[in-house]
Amino acid sequence: MKEMSAIKTIAIMVAADEQYADQMLLTLKSIREHCTLETAIDLFVLSSDLSHATKSAVNRLMTLPHHVSFIAINPRRIKNFPGNNHFDQTAYYRILAPQILLARHIERVLYLDLDTLIRTDLTPLYDSDLEGNIIGAVIDPGKALTLKRLGVPKSQANNIYFNAGVLIIDTILWETHHISQKILAMLVPYPGRRVNDIQDALNVVLAGRTKLLAPKWNVQNAILFKTYEPINNEYSQLFKQAIMAPKIIHFTTEKKPWEVFLEHPYMSEYQVYLSQLPADKRDQINIVSAANSNFVEPLAILYASILNNNDDDRHYAFFVLSDQLTARDQATLRQITESFNAELTFIEVDEIPLTAVIQDGQVLKTAYYRLLIPNLLPEIERVLYLDCDTLCLENLARLWDVELGNIPVAAVEDAGFHNRLAQMAIDYKSIRYFNAGVLLMNLTIWRQQKITEQILTFIKEYPQKLRFHDQDALNAILHDRWIHLHPKWNVQTSILMDFIVAPTERINRQFLSAQKEPGLIHFCGSEKPWDKSSTHPYTPQYRFYKSRFLENNNPVPFRANTTFDEYHS
């Protein structure tokens, strides 16, 4: 039997802001599609303002065994440095990154500009022998012999000017020689200085410390179009080899393929990737629920209702925190998600952290699983948690796009107005208390602030205070730290069926609005749509989805975004 090769990890970094999100996604896709099974990519994205939608798209492109880290760079450090039509301020991020990466034990990294198209596995490039030099780079044909112009000493003036769009960086040597500080100093303008941009500064500081790589690893437009005569016979041959078999295409100069560069020989190849961007960019909405076998039917119906109201701009990934679900249970849920090309993942939950929780006939340990979500999904930044007894009537994109900032959670006020914070002796600013059946969770903040640990500690120390179980514990820790969602996103049974005296006229108006235009119905309380005697006003919609998707022998979408009313009209 052939022995399996060990996985090799290579570190790659790119720099982008939201303006260049498309170009970044395209470059990353070309990297991933040419990566061999023996290589895992440790990707570092340097940025100061990427949206969660773009981050989600990057994470979907670079799934396991690859890994993504987003590194925030403070733009104030380079705000006064010059830019031009070729690059924006993010081009300077590569200067600041080596110190950050070395602190993470990354001793070598491959930097790539975002106007590159990768056509091969990058492992051989990453493994290039730098022969003791700080970086590896490829000649820039248009400036090859211009180091004298930049004031480089005669002893180093015969070194060749390199292009900075593809760089292998030895972060240890970079830091040892204080390269970042020297380059930043070089970019500060003063009379007589000949350095015009970041590439000039890199060449000045790194003259005599650069290993020149084969041009096939950075095939610039000047090489492809033979704009300049090669500096010698050796480079004449190297350029011919690069043109015949380019490894990395670099769309240098102001003409860019996303602006239709028709005469470029690799324009059509780039356009294929460009045509795939809409699908790659679809924002992923992460839905998490917890279920045992008794709740598989309502969960499947919830999935069908969500996906039937979705649009093509969003991709859904469902995560089930499984309480001993059987193979048949899982198959029932899969038949729904697969008919809509959605993702479905089952996660077995270790209940050891929940040994102190209180259960009764209505609330089982499964209900507490939501508290563990930040640790169960360590690579995900945000999720929408939904109880199984909810039903979707509207596209969830508006809810998903609520900006959380540094707030841990967004939720809807509980319609019972229980005054629970005072009854639990919580020192609060606002009396408002949320319902835990619909939670838009900022998992990054949960982890940073160790919110799960705080909640579990409260449960252990104050079990006598928990009339409403984990919902009480959530409110006890997160009071005054949650965003108030419109009640349309958690239309509780009491809002629809009971006469509620709201504490303020404003809330009363919101409840009336939620009754007219509900987004998520929450069948909380004893009135359940799967009971034969149910009189809930949305029981017919629940049974409609059950009939169409669970009792049909071929449960496929009947028509995109078909509503209950349209179907019965």
Side-chain angles (χ1 to χ4, degrees):
M1 179 181 291
K2 186 178 179 180
E3 194 174 309
M4 292 185 64
S5 302
I7 296 291
K8 178 183 178 63
T9 299
I10 65 174
I12 296 176
M13 71 172 175
V14 296
D17 56 19
E18 195 61 28
Q19 180 182 356
Y20 284 89
D22 286 1
Q23 289 82 353
M24 174 178 63
L25 292 173
L26 192 150
T27 296
L28 294 180
K29 185 165 186 175
S30 68
I31 292 172
R32 188 205 65 189
E33 291 195 353
H34 291 94
C35 187
T36 67
L37 295 176
E38 290 75 33
T39 298
I41 296 168
D42 200 0
L43 176 68
F44 297 91
V45 180
L46 315 175
S47 182
S48 57
D49 73 335
L50 284 181
S51 68
H52 72 80
T54 296
K55 290 180 179 179
S56 177
V58 171
N59 281 323
R60 287 198 307 280
L61 275 175
M62 307 302 290
T63 53
L64 291 174
H66 312 303
H67 180 267
V68 181
S69 298
F70 296 97
I71 299 178
I73 300 290
N74 187 345
R76 288 180 296 180
R77 293 188 64 183
I78 42 86
K79 68 177 181 178
N80 295 322
F81 295 141
N84 60 33
N85 293 333
H86 296 281
F87 59 85
D88 63 2
Q89 294 293 311
T90 61
Y92 293 100
Y93 291 177
R94 79 193 90 175
I95 300 172
L96 307 175
Q99 181 180 23
I100 300 172
L101 297 183
L102 187 57
R104 299 185 179 207
H105 309 292
I106 304 299
E107 298 180 357
R108 172 179 286 216
V109 65
L110 170 61
Y111 168 82
L112 296 169
D113 270 353
L114 297 182
D115 54 355
T116 53
L117 179 67
I118 311 307
R119 307 186 70 248
T120 189
D121 175 40
L122 294 176
T123 308
L125 171 60
Y126 183 84
D127 287 340
S128 297
D129 184 0
L130 298 185
E131 300 176 359
N133 288 288
I134 298 174
I135 70 164
V138 170
I139 189 174
D140 187 313
K143 300 180 178 181
L145 300 176
T146 61
L147 287 180
K148 281 186 178 181
R149 170 183 63 83
L150 298 176
V152 175
K154 289 184 177 180
S155 59
Q156 297 176 334
N158 290 330
N159 282 280
I160 294 172
Y161 187 105
F162 61 82
N163 180 276
V166 178
L167 301 173
I168 305 171
I169 301 173
D170 184 317
T171 60
I172 297 176
L173 290 177
W174 183 286
E175 280 301 292
T176 300
H177 293 276
H178 310 292
I179 301 300
S180 296
Q181 295 89 327
K182 291 176 181 178
I183 293 175
L184 292 175
M186 184 67 62
L187 289 167
V188 176
Y190 70 78
R193 175 158 283 171
R194 303 167 209 174
V195 171
N196 295 320
D197 57 31
I198 183 176
Q199 186 164 278
D200 278 354
L202 281 160
N203 270 275
V204 170
V205 173
L206 291 163
R209 298 169 174 173
T210 300
K211 165 66 176 178
L212 288 168
L213 306 173
K216 64 183 179 181
W217 291 113
N218 185 353
V219 185
Q220 302 143 64
N221 289 347
I223 296 175
L224 279 174
F225 294 119
K226 303 178 182 178
T227 309
Y228 303 97
E229 284 294 320
I231 60 172
N232 55 38
N233 288 333
E234 179 185 3
Y235 266 104
S236 177
Q237 294 301 314
L238 288 171
F239 284 176
K240 287 178 182 178
Q241 294 170 13
I243 293 169
M244 291 178 60
K247 304 292 187 182
I248 297 176
I249 299 295
H250 189 184
F251 297 94
T252 47
T253 73
E254 295 181 19
K255 290 185 176 181
K256 300 299 181 186
W258 53 87
E259 297 169 349
V260 188
F261 190 5
L262 294 178
E263 65 268 31
H264 196 286
Y266 289 91
M267 181 64 183
S268 59
E269 192 170 316
Y270 192 93
Q271 289 282 21
V272 171
Y273 284 101
L274 208 58
S275 68
Q276 296 167 354
L277 268 183
D280 293 329
K281 286 172 58 183
R282 287 189 307 167
D283 190 11
Q284 177 166 301
I285 297 180
N286 304 308
I287 306 288
V288 183
S289 300
N292 58 26
S293 291
N294 293 329
F295 283 90
V296 167
E297 177 190 297
L299 184 57
I301 290 169
L302 169 61
Y303 286 178
S305 68
I306 290 172
L307 293 167
N308 191 60
N309 285 286
N310 184 31
D311 59 39
D312 292 336
D313 294 329
R314 307 294 170 128
H315 175 74
Y316 278 81
F318 295 95
F319 299 87
V320 182
L321 309 185
S322 171
D323 183 3
Q324 302 181 45
L325 293 179
T326 66
R328 184 174 181 179
D329 294 334
Q330 295 184 20
T332 299
L333 296 170
R334 280 201 182 94
Q335 75 175 5
I336 304 295
T337 55
E338 287 178 358
S339 16
F340 288 91
N341 297 317
E343 294 179 32
L344 178 61
T345 303
F346 294 94
I347 300 174
E348 293 297 327
V349 179
D350 181 356
E351 295 185 350
I352 291 178
L354 304 176
T355 52
V357 305
I358 301 171
Q359 303 178 70
D360 60 27
Q362 289 187 323
V363 178
L364 301 177
K365 194 173 288 187
T366 313
Y368 292 87
Y369 285 4
R370 76 190 98 186
L371 304 179
L372 307 179
I373 292 172
N375 300 327
L376 294 171
L377 300 173
E379 301 297 326
I380 293 180
E381 294 186 349
R382 67 156 54 190
V383 302
L384 177 60
Y385 169 83
L386 297 175
D387 272 353
C388 295
D389 56 351
T390 51
L391 185 73
C392 182
L393 302 178
E394 188 176 305
N395 190 331
L396 292 180
R398 283 179 56 200
L399 172 57
W400 180 256
D401 288 338
V402 169
E403 183 56 53
L404 295 177
N406 291 323
I407 304 300
V409 70
V412 171
E413 186 161 8
D414 192 275
F417 307 111
H418 304 291
N419 199 23
R420 288 297 299 146
L421 296 178
Q423 292 169 11
M424 289 188 289
I426 301 298
D427 185 14
Y428 58 86
K429 294 179 181 178
S430 170
I431 197 172
R432 299 180 77 169
Y433 171 98
F434 61 82
N435 180 281
V438 177
L439 301 173
L440 184 60
M441 302 172 67
N442 185 339
L443 301 189
T444 301
I445 297 300
W446 276 64
R447 297 184 195 105
Q448 289 175 358
Q449 299 181 4
K450 299 187 182 301
I451 290 172
T452 292
E453 291 79 358
Q454 293 180 54
I455 295 172
L456 293 175
T457 299
F458 187 89
I459 291 172
K460 183 177 180 180
E461 294 181 353
Y462 302 105
Q464 73 280 4
K465 293 186 177 185
L466 303 180
R467 177 185 172 192
F468 295 111
H469 305 278
D470 62 315
Q471 181 169 286
D472 274 351
L474 281 157
N475 276 275
I477 299 302
L478 294 171
H479 67 89
D480 303 321
R481 287 194 292 162
W482 57 284
I483 292 172
H484 306 284
L485 296 174
H486 192 285
K488 71 174 289 177
W489 296 117
N490 185 349
V491 186
Q492 299 147 62
T493 298
S494 55
I495 294 175
L496 291 168
M497 300 184 69
D498 299 337
F499 177 76
I500 299 175
V501 180
T504 67
E505 181 58 31
R506 176 174 170 272
I507 296 176
N508 190 58
R509 288 196 301 269
Q510 287 186 345
F511 282 173
L512 290 173
S513 173
Q515 290 174 355
K516 294 177 182 178
E517 295 183 355
L520 283 166
I521 300 296
H522 187 186
F523 299 102
C524 50
S526 58
E527 188 74 30
K528 300 299 185 184
W530 50 86
D531 294 335
K532 291 182 179 180
S533 59
S534 173
T535 59
H536 193 288
Y538 284 90
T539 292
Q541 280 86 336
Y542 178 92
R543 292 176 179 169
F544 156 68
Y545 276 103
K546 178 180 179 181
S547 171
R548 190 70 199 183
F549 287 93
L550 294 186
E551 297 175 346
N552 190 333
N553 290 328
N554 187 25
V556 295
F558 35 90
R559 193 174 80 229
N561 306 111
T562 301
T563 66
F564 172 81
D565 291 336
E566 289 171 339
Y567 186 73
H568 285 275
S569 62

